[in-house]
Amino acid sequence: MTRILSAVAWPYANGPRHIGHVAGFGVPSDVFSRYMRMAGHDVLMVSGTDEHGTPILVAADGAGVTAKEFADRNNRLIVEDLVALGLSYDLFTRTTTRNHYAVVQEMFRTVRDNGYMVERTTQSAISPSTGRTLPDRYIEGTCPICGYPDARGDQCDNCGNQLDPTDLIEPRSKINGETPEFVETNHYFLDLPALAEALGTWLDGRAASGTWRPNVIKFSQHILEEIKPRAMTRDIDWGIPVPGWEDQPTKRLYVWFDAVVGYLSASVEWARRTGDPDAWRKWWNEPEALSYDFMGKDNIVFHSQIWPAELLGYNGEGSRGGQPGGYGRLNLPTEVVSSEFLTMEGRQFSSSRGVVIYVRDVLSRYQPDALRYFISAAGPETQDADFTWAEFVRRTNGELVAGWGNLVNRTAAMIAKNFGEIPTPGEPEPIDVALTDAVRGGFKEVGELIEGHRQRAALAEVMRLVGEANTYVTRTEPFKLKAPEQRQRLATVLHTLAQAVSDLNVMLSPFLPHSANAVDAVLGGPGDVAPMPRIQEVEDLDGGGPYPVITGDYGRGGQGGFPVWGSRPVTPGTPVAKPKPVFTKLDEDVVDAELARLRQG
C-alpha cells in the first residue's frame, strides 16, 4: 500500500465549467484515483474552487453582486456538476475559507523568511478610465517572442512563455480595449533564480524516471532555461492579505500563489474534518508518499515550476538555504499529469463567442458515463482532441450501447430467461477457459496502463476484451442450446459470460462508475461497486460562513467501498431478473439539434 495524493486543478469560479475543463482535470484524475484505491493504495483526492483575482471582480460587477456572492453562486454550480459527473473527491473545498487563508499565509511567510521572496519596484497597469488596476491576464497584446497577437500579460498561450504586461507589443485592456497606463508599485517576487538549481535537479530526476509525458517534461525543462523572478502579489482588494503588508489593503497575494497552495490547504482541511488534524502529513511529509498533479496544458508552468519552487523555498532547499516552517519538509510532486486541449467542432472553446457546452447542459440531456466514456476514449491525453456531436453519438451508440451494453443485456436476459439465477457451471471447454483467462489477464495490463496515465489505451484494451466476449457469444450460440441434454452446457456458457461481464465491469468502473453500479445490479449484486461522491453542507472550521463540499466514503480495495482490482467469482444461485438497458441509444437527430444550439450561442 502506497499513499497517493491526487492534486486536481482548481476550477475557476467565474462561471460554470465546460466539458473542455473536465476533460483536462476532472475525468482523468478520477479514473486514476478510483483505480489506485481499488489497487489497494491510500488515496487522498483534493481540490476546490479558485475564487480570487480580478476576473471574479469584473464578472461580479457585471452581475451587480459582490465578489463573494458571485463566487458563492458559481462554487455551488461547480460542486453540483462535478458530483453529477461522479468525481470522487475526498474533499473539494474553496479558496475563500479561513483555513485556506491561514495555510497560504504560512507558506508565504516561510518562503519570504527563508529569503526567496524579494521586494521590488515594478510597473503596474492601470485602467485610465476607471483607475482600477488591470491584472496581467486582462492585458493582451502581441507576444514579443513568437508574434502571437493575443498573448496575455502573464503568459503566451501560443508559445507557452511567461510574460509581463510590459513585455507585450501594443498592450490593450481585455475589458474595454483601451491602452493601459503603467505606474510604479512595490511587489513581492518569488526569486526563481535562487531556486533554479534545486528546481533543475528535481526536474532532471523526474526526467530520469521516464514516467512524465514527454511534452510536459520537455516544456518544463525548456522554461527553466530563461527563469526569472515572478511577482507573487497584486494591486487588488479581493484576495488573501499579504503578511507584513496588513496596512496596505489593496495589496493581496497573487491568485496563482494562493490557488496552488490549495492542494496543501485542502489536505489540511480534510484532516481537520476527520478529527485527526495531522493526518494530512502522511501524504505531505512522508518521503514514500507519491503525488500527482492533474491539469490542462495551460497550467503546466505553475505546476512544474512555480509550485515546486514555492515548496523548495518553504523547505529551505534553494541557494539561500533556510528551514522548513511548521508544516515540516513538504513533498514535491511525483508527476505533473497534463492533458492537452479539447476543442469543439474544430474550434477553441469560448464562452464569449458561444463555442461552448457546459457540463451541466450535457448531463441534463445525456448519461454522465457517455461523456466520461468519450473523454476517456477520445480525449486530449497527449495531443489536442476535438469533440464533435457526430463522434459523441457514434461512440455512444456503436461502442457503449452496441458493444458493452449489448453484452450486459443479452447475458442477463439469457440467464433470466433460462435459469432466473446465475447457473452452476459444468466442466469448461477450451473456448470457455480461453475467454476467462483473457479477461482475467486484462486486469494486469489495464491497471498498468491506468497507473502510467495511458487511459485511452487502457479503455481500448477493456473494450477489446468486450469484443472478445461478444465473439464468444457468437461462437457458442447459447440461444440455440435448448435441448434438455444441452442444459449443462448452457449453464457453463452463461456462467462463463456472467463471470466475464462481472470482471469487465470491475475494469470499467473507474471510467464508468454510474453504469458500473447499474451493471452490478443487473447481475443481482447490490449495485455499489463504484462508490459515489456526495455534497455535504459544512461550516467554516474557523468561524466563516457555511458552504458545500464534495466528499465521500471510498476506502480502498478490500476495505470500505471499493472492490479489489481483480476477478471476483460470481456466485451461482444469485437471482438475475430480466434486465433493462443500462445505456441509452441516441437518435441521430441529436447531432443536428446540438449543432443548432451551438449556432444559437
PDB file of all heavy atoms in Angstrom, residues 404-405 407-416 420-422 498 501 505 515-528 574-583:
ATOM      1  N   TRP A 404     -20.590  -2.806 -25.215  1.00  0.00           N
ATOM      2  CA  TRP A 404     -20.668  -3.171 -23.807  1.00  0.00           C
ATOM      3  C   TRP A 404     -22.122  -3.361 -23.354  1.00  0.00           C
ATOM      4  O   TRP A 404     -22.462  -4.374 -22.733  1.00  0.00           O
ATOM      5  CB  TRP A 404     -19.968  -2.112 -22.978  1.00  0.00           C
ATOM      6  CG  TRP A 404     -20.042  -2.240 -21.495  1.00  0.00           C
ATOM      7  CD1 TRP A 404     -20.394  -1.270 -20.605  1.00  0.00           C
ATOM      8  CD2 TRP A 404     -19.743  -3.397 -20.688  1.00  0.00           C
ATOM      9  NE1 TRP A 404     -20.335  -1.732 -19.318  1.00  0.00           N
ATOM     10  CE2 TRP A 404     -19.937  -3.041 -19.339  1.00  0.00           C
ATOM     11  CE3 TRP A 404     -19.344  -4.698 -20.989  1.00  0.00           C
ATOM     12  CZ2 TRP A 404     -19.740  -3.934 -18.281  1.00  0.00           C
ATOM     13  CZ3 TRP A 404     -19.147  -5.604 -19.932  1.00  0.00           C
ATOM     14  CH2 TRP A 404     -19.349  -5.220 -18.600  1.00  0.00           C
ATOM     15  N   GLY A 405     -22.981  -2.412 -23.662  1.00  0.00           N
ATOM     16  CA  GLY A 405     -24.374  -2.536 -23.217  1.00  0.00           C
ATOM     17  C   GLY A 405     -25.059  -3.776 -23.759  1.00  0.00           C
ATOM     18  O   GLY A 405     -25.824  -4.443 -23.058  1.00  0.00           O
ATOM     19  N   LEU A 407     -23.612  -6.626 -24.612  1.00  0.00           N
ATOM     20  CA  LEU A 407     -23.079  -7.805 -23.925  1.00  0.00           C
ATOM     21  C   LEU A 407     -23.765  -7.989 -22.573  1.00  0.00           C
ATOM     22  O   LEU A 407     -24.179  -9.104 -22.212  1.00  0.00           O
ATOM     23  CB  LEU A 407     -21.574  -7.670 -23.746  1.00  0.00           C
ATOM     24  CG  LEU A 407     -20.895  -8.783 -22.946  1.00  0.00           C
ATOM     25  CD1 LEU A 407     -20.986 -10.118 -23.683  1.00  0.00           C
ATOM     26  CD2 LEU A 407     -19.438  -8.436 -22.645  1.00  0.00           C
ATOM     27  N   VAL A 408     -23.880  -6.895 -21.810  1.00  0.00           N
ATOM     28  CA  VAL A 408     -24.516  -6.973 -20.492  1.00  0.00           C
ATOM     29  C   VAL A 408     -25.966  -7.404 -20.632  1.00  0.00           C
ATOM     30  O   VAL A 408     -26.435  -8.309 -19.925  1.00  0.00           O
ATOM     31  CB  VAL A 408     -24.433  -5.597 -19.782  1.00  0.00           C
ATOM     32  CG1 VAL A 408     -25.281  -5.603 -18.499  1.00  0.00           C
ATOM     33  CG2 VAL A 408     -22.993  -5.234 -19.464  1.00  0.00           C
ATOM     34  N   ASN A 409     -26.671  -6.780 -21.553  1.00  0.00           N
ATOM     35  CA  ASN A 409     -28.111  -7.009 -21.661  1.00  0.00           C
ATOM     36  C   ASN A 409     -28.426  -8.440 -22.098  1.00  0.00           C
ATOM     37  O   ASN A 409     -29.294  -9.108 -21.502  1.00  0.00           O
ATOM     38  CB  ASN A 409     -28.708  -6.008 -22.654  1.00  0.00           C
ATOM     39  CG  ASN A 409     -30.226  -5.986 -22.586  1.00  0.00           C
ATOM     40  OD1 ASN A 409     -30.792  -5.560 -21.586  1.00  0.00           O
ATOM     41  ND2 ASN A 409     -30.881  -6.441 -23.640  1.00  0.00           N
ATOM     42  N   ARG A 410     -27.722  -8.932 -23.125  1.00  0.00           N
ATOM     43  CA  ARG A 410     -28.084 -10.273 -23.581  1.00  0.00           C
ATOM     44  C   ARG A 410     -27.603 -11.357 -22.630  1.00  0.00           C
ATOM     45  O   ARG A 410     -28.236 -12.405 -22.509  1.00  0.00           O
ATOM     46  CB  ARG A 410     -27.608 -10.530 -25.003  1.00  0.00           C
ATOM     47  CG  ARG A 410     -26.139 -10.437 -25.293  1.00  0.00           C
ATOM     48  CD  ARG A 410     -25.930 -10.734 -26.770  1.00  0.00           C
ATOM     49  NE  ARG A 410     -24.566 -10.533 -27.214  1.00  0.00           N
ATOM     50  CZ  ARG A 410     -24.125 -10.917 -28.411  1.00  0.00           C
ATOM     51  NH1 ARG A 410     -24.943 -11.525 -29.261  1.00  0.00           N
ATOM     52  NH2 ARG A 410     -22.876 -10.697 -28.779  1.00  0.00           N
ATOM     53  N   THR A 411     -26.494 -11.093 -21.918  1.00  0.00           N
ATOM     54  CA  THR A 411     -26.060 -12.066 -20.911  1.00  0.00           C
ATOM     55  C   THR A 411     -27.114 -12.191 -19.817  1.00  0.00           C
ATOM     56  O   THR A 411     -27.551 -13.303 -19.465  1.00  0.00           O
ATOM     57  CB  THR A 411     -24.708 -11.642 -20.303  1.00  0.00           C
ATOM     58  OG1 THR A 411     -23.705 -11.657 -21.314  1.00  0.00           O
ATOM     59  CG2 THR A 411     -24.306 -12.579 -19.163  1.00  0.00           C
ATOM     60  N   ALA A 412     -27.536 -11.053 -19.275  1.00  0.00           N
ATOM     61  CA  ALA A 412     -28.523 -11.079 -18.195  1.00  0.00           C
ATOM     62  C   ALA A 412     -29.868 -11.608 -18.686  1.00  0.00           C
ATOM     63  O   ALA A 412     -30.555 -12.360 -17.968  1.00  0.00           O
ATOM     64  CB  ALA A 412     -28.680  -9.678 -17.605  1.00  0.00           C
ATOM     65  N   ALA A 413     -30.247 -11.227 -19.910  1.00  0.00           N
ATOM     66  CA  ALA A 413     -31.535 -11.684 -20.448  1.00  0.00           C
ATOM     67  C   ALA A 413     -31.561 -13.202 -20.602  1.00  0.00           C
ATOM     68  O   ALA A 413     -32.570 -13.855 -20.267  1.00  0.00           O
ATOM     69  CB  ALA A 413     -31.808 -10.998 -21.788  1.00  0.00           C
ATOM     70  N   MET A 414     -30.481 -13.791 -21.102  1.00  0.00           N
ATOM     71  CA  MET A 414     -30.439 -15.246 -21.284  1.00  0.00           C
ATOM     72  C   MET A 414     -30.422 -15.965 -19.938  1.00  0.00           C
ATOM     73  O   MET A 414     -31.055 -17.021 -19.772  1.00  0.00           O
ATOM     74  CB  MET A 414     -29.229 -15.630 -22.129  1.00  0.00           C
ATOM     75  CG  MET A 414     -29.374 -15.267 -23.602  1.00  0.00           C
ATOM     76  SD  MET A 414     -28.048 -15.917 -24.661  1.00  0.00           S
ATOM     77  CE  MET A 414     -26.651 -14.904 -24.154  1.00  0.00           C
ATOM     78  N   ILE A 415     -29.712 -15.403 -18.962  1.00  0.00           N
ATOM     79  CA  ILE A 415     -29.687 -16.023 -17.637  1.00  0.00           C
ATOM     80  C   ILE A 415     -31.089 -15.961 -17.010  1.00  0.00           C
ATOM     81  O   ILE A 415     -31.589 -16.956 -16.456  1.00  0.00           O
ATOM     82  CB  ILE A 415     -28.646 -15.339 -16.732  1.00  0.00           C
ATOM     83  CG1 ILE A 415     -27.225 -15.639 -17.231  1.00  0.00           C
ATOM     84  CG2 ILE A 415     -28.799 -15.793 -15.282  1.00  0.00           C
ATOM     85  CD1 ILE A 415     -26.140 -14.887 -16.491  1.00  0.00           C
ATOM     86  N   ALA A 416     -31.705 -14.771 -17.089  1.00  0.00           N
ATOM     87  CA  ALA A 416     -33.040 -14.609 -16.501  1.00  0.00           C
ATOM     88  C   ALA A 416     -34.056 -15.542 -17.152  1.00  0.00           C
ATOM     89  O   ALA A 416     -34.888 -16.165 -16.461  1.00  0.00           O
ATOM     90  CB  ALA A 416     -33.487 -13.153 -16.642  1.00  0.00           C
ATOM     91  N   GLY A 420     -33.077 -17.849 -14.240  1.00  0.00           N
ATOM     92  CA  GLY A 420     -33.542 -16.941 -13.192  1.00  0.00           C
ATOM     93  C   GLY A 420     -32.487 -16.637 -12.160  1.00  0.00           C
ATOM     94  O   GLY A 420     -32.733 -15.884 -11.204  1.00  0.00           O
ATOM     95  N   GLU A 421     -31.328 -17.225 -12.321  1.00  0.00           N
ATOM     96  CA  GLU A 421     -30.216 -17.010 -11.386  1.00  0.00           C
ATOM     97  C   GLU A 421     -28.930 -17.397 -12.098  1.00  0.00           C
ATOM     98  O   GLU A 421     -28.955 -18.064 -13.140  1.00  0.00           O
ATOM     99  CB  GLU A 421     -30.389 -17.874 -10.139  1.00  0.00           C
ATOM    100  CG  GLU A 421     -30.419 -19.363 -10.437  1.00  0.00           C
ATOM    101  CD  GLU A 421     -30.689 -20.219  -9.219  1.00  0.00           C
ATOM    102  OE1 GLU A 421     -31.436 -19.760  -8.332  1.00  0.00           O
ATOM    103  OE2 GLU A 421     -30.144 -21.344  -9.159  1.00  0.00           O
ATOM    104  N   ILE A 422     -27.820 -16.949 -11.548  1.00  0.00           N
ATOM    105  CA  ILE A 422     -26.538 -17.341 -12.140  1.00  0.00           C
ATOM    106  C   ILE A 422     -26.392 -18.861 -11.976  1.00  0.00           C
ATOM    107  O   ILE A 422     -26.460 -19.377 -10.854  1.00  0.00           O
ATOM    108  CB  ILE A 422     -25.366 -16.605 -11.481  1.00  0.00           C
ATOM    109  CG1 ILE A 422     -25.455 -15.097 -11.784  1.00  0.00           C
ATOM    110  CG2 ILE A 422     -24.023 -17.159 -11.970  1.00  0.00           C
ATOM    111  CD1 ILE A 422     -24.395 -14.245 -11.132  1.00  0.00           C
ATOM    112  N   ALA A 498     -21.346 -14.578 -17.413  1.00  0.00           N
ATOM    113  CA  ALA A 498     -21.589 -13.786 -16.201  1.00  0.00           C
ATOM    114  C   ALA A 498     -20.274 -13.387 -15.543  1.00  0.00           C
ATOM    115  O   ALA A 498     -20.102 -12.243 -15.093  1.00  0.00           O
ATOM    116  CB  ALA A 498     -22.461 -14.574 -15.222  1.00  0.00           C
ATOM    117  N   VAL A 501     -18.611 -10.662 -17.729  1.00  0.00           N
ATOM    118  CA  VAL A 501     -19.270  -9.368 -17.555  1.00  0.00           C
ATOM    119  C   VAL A 501     -18.909  -8.762 -16.201  1.00  0.00           C
ATOM    120  O   VAL A 501     -18.624  -7.563 -16.083  1.00  0.00           O
ATOM    121  CB  VAL A 501     -20.797  -9.514 -17.708  1.00  0.00           C
ATOM    122  CG1 VAL A 501     -21.513  -8.238 -17.250  1.00  0.00           C
ATOM    123  CG2 VAL A 501     -21.161  -9.824 -19.155  1.00  0.00           C
ATOM    124  N   ASN A 505     -16.814  -5.381 -15.858  1.00  0.00           N
ATOM    125  CA  ASN A 505     -17.460  -4.277 -15.156  1.00  0.00           C
ATOM    126  C   ASN A 505     -16.530  -3.666 -14.111  1.00  0.00           C
ATOM    127  O   ASN A 505     -16.483  -2.442 -13.943  1.00  0.00           O
ATOM    128  CB  ASN A 505     -18.751  -4.766 -14.496  1.00  0.00           C
ATOM    129  CG  ASN A 505     -19.607  -3.620 -14.016  1.00  0.00           C
ATOM    130  OD1 ASN A 505     -19.808  -2.641 -14.725  1.00  0.00           O
ATOM    131  ND2 ASN A 505     -20.131  -3.734 -12.800  1.00  0.00           N
ATOM    132  N   SER A 515     -22.615   3.536 -14.477  1.00  0.00           N
ATOM    133  CA  SER A 515     -23.101   2.319 -15.129  1.00  0.00           C
ATOM    134  C   SER A 515     -22.508   1.071 -14.492  1.00  0.00           C
ATOM    135  O   SER A 515     -23.126  -0.006 -14.555  1.00  0.00           O
ATOM    136  CB  SER A 515     -22.799   2.356 -16.629  1.00  0.00           C
ATOM    137  OG  SER A 515     -21.424   2.489 -16.874  1.00  0.00           O
ATOM    138  N   ALA A 516     -21.341   1.182 -13.876  1.00  0.00           N
ATOM    139  CA  ALA A 516     -20.777   0.015 -13.181  1.00  0.00           C
ATOM    140  C   ALA A 516     -21.710  -0.437 -12.068  1.00  0.00           C
ATOM    141  O   ALA A 516     -21.933  -1.640 -11.876  1.00  0.00           O
ATOM    142  CB  ALA A 516     -19.398   0.348 -12.609  1.00  0.00           C
ATOM    143  N   ASN A 517     -22.279   0.512 -11.355  1.00  0.00           N
ATOM    144  CA  ASN A 517     -23.236   0.151 -10.305  1.00  0.00           C
ATOM    145  C   ASN A 517     -24.510  -0.446 -10.911  1.00  0.00           C
ATOM    146  O   ASN A 517     -25.078  -1.400 -10.371  1.00  0.00           O
ATOM    147  CB  ASN A 517     -23.569   1.381  -9.466  1.00  0.00           C
ATOM    148  CG  ASN A 517     -22.403   1.804  -8.579  1.00  0.00           C
ATOM    149  OD1 ASN A 517     -21.576   0.979  -8.203  1.00  0.00           O
ATOM    150  ND2 ASN A 517     -22.333   3.090  -8.268  1.00  0.00           N
ATOM    151  N   ALA A 518     -24.933   0.103 -12.050  1.00  0.00           N
ATOM    152  CA  ALA A 518     -26.132  -0.428 -12.712  1.00  0.00           C
ATOM    153  C   ALA A 518     -25.894  -1.842 -13.224  1.00  0.00           C
ATOM    154  O   ALA A 518     -26.761  -2.714 -13.096  1.00  0.00           O
ATOM    155  CB  ALA A 518     -26.537   0.492 -13.861  1.00  0.00           C
ATOM    156  N   VAL A 519     -24.725  -2.099 -13.796  1.00  0.00           N
ATOM    157  CA  VAL A 519     -24.405  -3.433 -14.309  1.00  0.00           C
ATOM    158  C   VAL A 519     -24.328  -4.431 -13.162  1.00  0.00           C
ATOM    159  O   VAL A 519     -24.800  -5.575 -13.275  1.00  0.00           O
ATOM    160  CB  VAL A 519     -23.085  -3.412 -15.110  1.00  0.00           C
ATOM    161  CG1 VAL A 519     -22.631  -4.829 -15.452  1.00  0.00           C
ATOM    162  CG2 VAL A 519     -23.254  -2.581 -16.388  1.00  0.00           C
ATOM    163  N   ASP A 520     -23.730  -4.021 -12.059  1.00  0.00           N
ATOM    164  CA  ASP A 520     -23.651  -4.903 -10.891  1.00  0.00           C
ATOM    165  C   ASP A 520     -25.053  -5.295 -10.437  1.00  0.00           C
ATOM    166  O   ASP A 520     -25.311  -6.459 -10.101  1.00  0.00           O
ATOM    167  CB  ASP A 520     -22.900  -4.200  -9.763  1.00  0.00           C
ATOM    168  CG  ASP A 520     -22.681  -5.109  -8.564  1.00  0.00           C
ATOM    169  OD1 ASP A 520     -21.962  -6.115  -8.699  1.00  0.00           O
ATOM    170  OD2 ASP A 520     -23.237  -4.810  -7.484  1.00  0.00           O
ATOM    171  N   ALA A 521     -25.992  -4.349 -10.447  1.00  0.00           N
ATOM    172  CA  ALA A 521     -27.366  -4.642 -10.057  1.00  0.00           C
ATOM    173  C   ALA A 521     -28.045  -5.570 -11.059  1.00  0.00           C
ATOM    174  O   ALA A 521     -28.840  -6.441 -10.676  1.00  0.00           O
ATOM    175  CB  ALA A 521     -28.155  -3.336  -9.919  1.00  0.00           C
ATOM    176  N   VAL A 522     -27.737  -5.407 -12.337  1.00  0.00           N
ATOM    177  CA  VAL A 522     -28.299  -6.290 -13.368  1.00  0.00           C
ATOM    178  C   VAL A 522     -27.928  -7.740 -13.092  1.00  0.00           C
ATOM    179  O   VAL A 522     -28.734  -8.663 -13.291  1.00  0.00           O
ATOM    180  CB  VAL A 522     -27.808  -5.857 -14.767  1.00  0.00           C
ATOM    181  CG1 VAL A 522     -28.054  -6.960 -15.802  1.00  0.00           C
ATOM    182  CG2 VAL A 522     -28.502  -4.571 -15.199  1.00  0.00           C
ATOM    183  N   LEU A 523     -26.708  -7.969 -12.615  1.00  0.00           N
ATOM    184  CA  LEU A 523     -26.253  -9.334 -12.321  1.00  0.00           C
ATOM    185  C   LEU A 523     -26.615  -9.784 -10.904  1.00  0.00           C
ATOM    186  O   LEU A 523     -26.067 -10.761 -10.407  1.00  0.00           O
ATOM    187  CB  LEU A 523     -24.747  -9.437 -12.523  1.00  0.00           C
ATOM    188  CG  LEU A 523     -24.253  -9.372 -13.975  1.00  0.00           C
ATOM    189  CD1 LEU A 523     -22.744  -9.563 -14.030  1.00  0.00           C
ATOM    190  CD2 LEU A 523     -24.943 -10.420 -14.845  1.00  0.00           C
ATOM    191  N   GLY A 524     -27.523  -9.047 -10.261  1.00  0.00           N
ATOM    192  CA  GLY A 524     -28.004  -9.474  -8.951  1.00  0.00           C
ATOM    193  C   GLY A 524     -27.204  -8.950  -7.786  1.00  0.00           C
ATOM    194  O   GLY A 524     -27.463  -9.333  -6.640  1.00  0.00           O
ATOM    195  N   GLY A 525     -26.236  -8.073  -8.040  1.00  0.00           N
ATOM    196  CA  GLY A 525     -25.439  -7.507  -6.965  1.00  0.00           C
ATOM    197  C   GLY A 525     -26.124  -6.323  -6.309  1.00  0.00           C
ATOM    198  O   GLY A 525     -27.199  -5.877  -6.740  1.00  0.00           O
ATOM    199  N   PRO A 526     -25.496  -5.759  -5.269  1.00  0.00           N
ATOM    200  CA  PRO A 526     -26.101  -4.625  -4.555  1.00  0.00           C
ATOM    201  C   PRO A 526     -25.984  -3.301  -5.298  1.00  0.00           C
ATOM    202  O   PRO A 526     -26.587  -2.303  -4.884  1.00  0.00           O
ATOM    203  CB  PRO A 526     -25.329  -4.585  -3.232  1.00  0.00           C
ATOM    204  CG  PRO A 526     -24.001  -5.225  -3.556  1.00  0.00           C
ATOM    205  CD  PRO A 526     -24.297  -6.272  -4.599  1.00  0.00           C
ATOM    206  N   GLY A 527     -25.205  -3.262  -6.380  1.00  0.00           N
ATOM    207  CA  GLY A 527     -25.077  -2.032  -7.163  1.00  0.00           C
ATOM    208  C   GLY A 527     -24.218  -0.977  -6.506  1.00  0.00           C
ATOM    209  O   GLY A 527     -24.512   0.223  -6.609  1.00  0.00           O
ATOM    210  N   ASP A 528     -23.150  -1.413  -5.849  1.00  0.00           N
ATOM    211  CA  ASP A 528     -22.304  -0.449  -5.145  1.00  0.00           C
ATOM    212  C   ASP A 528     -20.816  -0.700  -5.388  1.00  0.00           C
ATOM    213  O   ASP A 528     -19.982  -0.471  -4.517  1.00  0.00           O
ATOM    214  CB  ASP A 528     -22.592  -0.484  -3.644  1.00  0.00           C
ATOM    215  CG  ASP A 528     -22.351  -1.863  -3.030  1.00  0.00           C
ATOM    216  OD1 ASP A 528     -21.959  -2.801  -3.764  1.00  0.00           O
ATOM    217  OD2 ASP A 528     -22.546  -2.011  -1.810  1.00  0.00           O
ATOM    218  N   THR A 574     -27.336 -16.607  -7.467  1.00  0.00           N
ATOM    219  CA  THR A 574     -27.692 -15.191  -7.340  1.00  0.00           C
ATOM    220  C   THR A 574     -28.826 -14.868  -8.311  1.00  0.00           C
ATOM    221  O   THR A 574     -28.691 -15.081  -9.523  1.00  0.00           O
ATOM    222  CB  THR A 574     -26.490 -14.289  -7.650  1.00  0.00           C
ATOM    223  OG1 THR A 574     -25.418 -14.602  -6.752  1.00  0.00           O
ATOM    224  CG2 THR A 574     -26.861 -12.818  -7.521  1.00  0.00           C
ATOM    225  N   PRO A 575     -29.968 -14.368  -7.825  1.00  0.00           N
ATOM    226  CA  PRO A 575     -31.099 -14.091  -8.716  1.00  0.00           C
ATOM    227  C   PRO A 575     -30.746 -13.036  -9.766  1.00  0.00           C
ATOM    228  O   PRO A 575     -30.102 -12.033  -9.477  1.00  0.00           O
ATOM    229  CB  PRO A 575     -32.187 -13.580  -7.762  1.00  0.00           C
ATOM    230  CG  PRO A 575     -31.801 -14.114  -6.420  1.00  0.00           C
ATOM    231  CD  PRO A 575     -30.301 -14.123  -6.410  1.00  0.00           C
ATOM    232  N   VAL A 576     -31.182 -13.263 -10.986  1.00  0.00           N
ATOM    233  CA  VAL A 576     -30.993 -12.317 -12.089  1.00  0.00           C
ATOM    234  C   VAL A 576     -32.340 -12.145 -12.775  1.00  0.00           C
ATOM    235  O   VAL A 576     -32.915 -13.113 -13.287  1.00  0.00           O
ATOM    236  CB  VAL A 576     -29.933 -12.821 -13.093  1.00  0.00           C
ATOM    237  CG1 VAL A 576     -29.845 -11.860 -14.282  1.00  0.00           C
ATOM    238  CG2 VAL A 576     -28.569 -12.962 -12.412  1.00  0.00           C
ATOM    239  N   ALA A 577     -32.840 -10.918 -12.783  1.00  0.00           N
ATOM    240  CA  ALA A 577     -34.133 -10.623 -13.393  1.00  0.00           C
ATOM    241  C   ALA A 577     -33.944 -10.145 -14.831  1.00  0.00           C
ATOM    242  O   ALA A 577     -32.832  -9.843 -15.263  1.00  0.00           O
ATOM    243  CB  ALA A 577     -34.860  -9.560 -12.576  1.00  0.00           C
ATOM    244  N   LYS A 578     -35.050 -10.093 -15.565  1.00  0.00           N
ATOM    245  CA  LYS A 578     -34.997  -9.578 -16.929  1.00  0.00           C
ATOM    246  C   LYS A 578     -34.465  -8.152 -16.880  1.00  0.00           C
ATOM    247  O   LYS A 578     -34.999  -7.305 -16.160  1.00  0.00           O
ATOM    248  CB  LYS A 578     -36.388  -9.612 -17.564  1.00  0.00           C
ATOM    249  CG  LYS A 578     -36.404  -9.128 -19.006  1.00  0.00           C
ATOM    250  CD  LYS A 578     -37.810  -9.184 -19.602  1.00  0.00           C
ATOM    251  CE  LYS A 578     -37.820  -8.680 -21.040  1.00  0.00           C
ATOM    252  NZ  LYS A 578     -39.187  -8.726 -21.627  1.00  0.00           N
ATOM    253  N   PRO A 579     -33.413  -7.843 -17.619  1.00  0.00           N
ATOM    254  CA  PRO A 579     -32.752  -6.538 -17.479  1.00  0.00           C
ATOM    255  C   PRO A 579     -33.408  -5.431 -18.295  1.00  0.00           C
ATOM    256  O   PRO A 579     -34.122  -5.680 -19.272  1.00  0.00           O
ATOM    257  CB  PRO A 579     -31.346  -6.806 -18.015  1.00  0.00           C
ATOM    258  CG  PRO A 579     -31.574  -7.829 -19.096  1.00  0.00           C
ATOM    259  CD  PRO A 579     -32.683  -8.722 -18.573  1.00  0.00           C
ATOM    260  N   LYS A 580     -33.157  -4.207 -17.864  1.00  0.00           N
ATOM    261  CA  LYS A 580     -33.439  -3.030 -18.663  1.00  0.00           C
ATOM    262  C   LYS A 580     -32.102  -2.506 -19.188  1.00  0.00           C
ATOM    263  O   LYS A 580     -31.083  -2.653 -18.522  1.00  0.00           O
ATOM    264  CB  LYS A 580     -34.129  -1.960 -17.823  1.00  0.00           C
ATOM    265  CG  LYS A 580     -35.503  -2.358 -17.322  1.00  0.00           C
ATOM    266  CD  LYS A 580     -36.127  -1.238 -16.495  1.00  0.00           C
ATOM    267  CE  LYS A 580     -37.511  -1.634 -16.000  1.00  0.00           C
ATOM    268  NZ  LYS A 580     -38.110  -0.547 -15.170  1.00  0.00           N
ATOM    269  N   PRO A 581     -32.088  -1.916 -20.379  1.00  0.00           N
ATOM    270  CA  PRO A 581     -30.814  -1.437 -20.935  1.00  0.00           C
ATOM    271  C   PRO A 581     -30.120  -0.455 -19.992  1.00  0.00           C
ATOM    272  O   PRO A 581     -30.760   0.430 -19.414  1.00  0.00           O
ATOM    273  CB  PRO A 581     -31.239  -0.745 -22.235  1.00  0.00           C
ATOM    274  CG  PRO A 581     -32.530  -1.398 -22.617  1.00  0.00           C
ATOM    275  CD  PRO A 581     -33.213  -1.701 -21.312  1.00  0.00           C
ATOM    276  N   VAL A 582     -28.824  -0.630 -19.842  1.00  0.00           N
ATOM    277  CA  VAL A 582     -28.035   0.247 -18.980  1.00  0.00           C
ATOM    278  C   VAL A 582     -27.756   1.573 -19.677  1.00  0.00           C
ATOM    279  O   VAL A 582     -27.762   2.635 -19.047  1.00  0.00           O
ATOM    280  CB  VAL A 582     -26.717  -0.445 -18.572  1.00  0.00           C
ATOM    281  CG1 VAL A 582     -25.798   0.514 -17.817  1.00  0.00           C
ATOM    282  CG2 VAL A 582     -27.014  -1.678 -17.721  1.00  0.00           C
ATOM    283  N   PHE A 583     -27.518   1.514 -20.974  1.00  0.00           N
ATOM    284  CA  PHE A 583     -27.174   2.710 -21.730  1.00  0.00           C
ATOM    285  C   PHE A 583     -28.309   3.102 -22.673  1.00  0.00           C
ATOM    286  O   PHE A 583     -29.017   2.250 -23.201  1.00  0.00           O
ATOM    287  CB  PHE A 583     -25.892   2.491 -22.540  1.00  0.00           C
ATOM    288  CG  PHE A 583     -24.696   2.193 -21.684  1.00  0.00           C
ATOM    289  CD1 PHE A 583     -24.203   0.901 -21.580  1.00  0.00           C
ATOM    290  CD2 PHE A 583     -24.080   3.207 -20.966  1.00  0.00           C
ATOM    291  CE1 PHE A 583     -23.107   0.619 -20.786  1.00  0.00           C
ATOM    292  CE2 PHE A 583     -22.986   2.935 -20.156  1.00  0.00           C
ATOM    293  CZ  PHE A 583     -22.496   1.639 -20.066  1.00  0.00           C
TER     294      PHE A 583
END
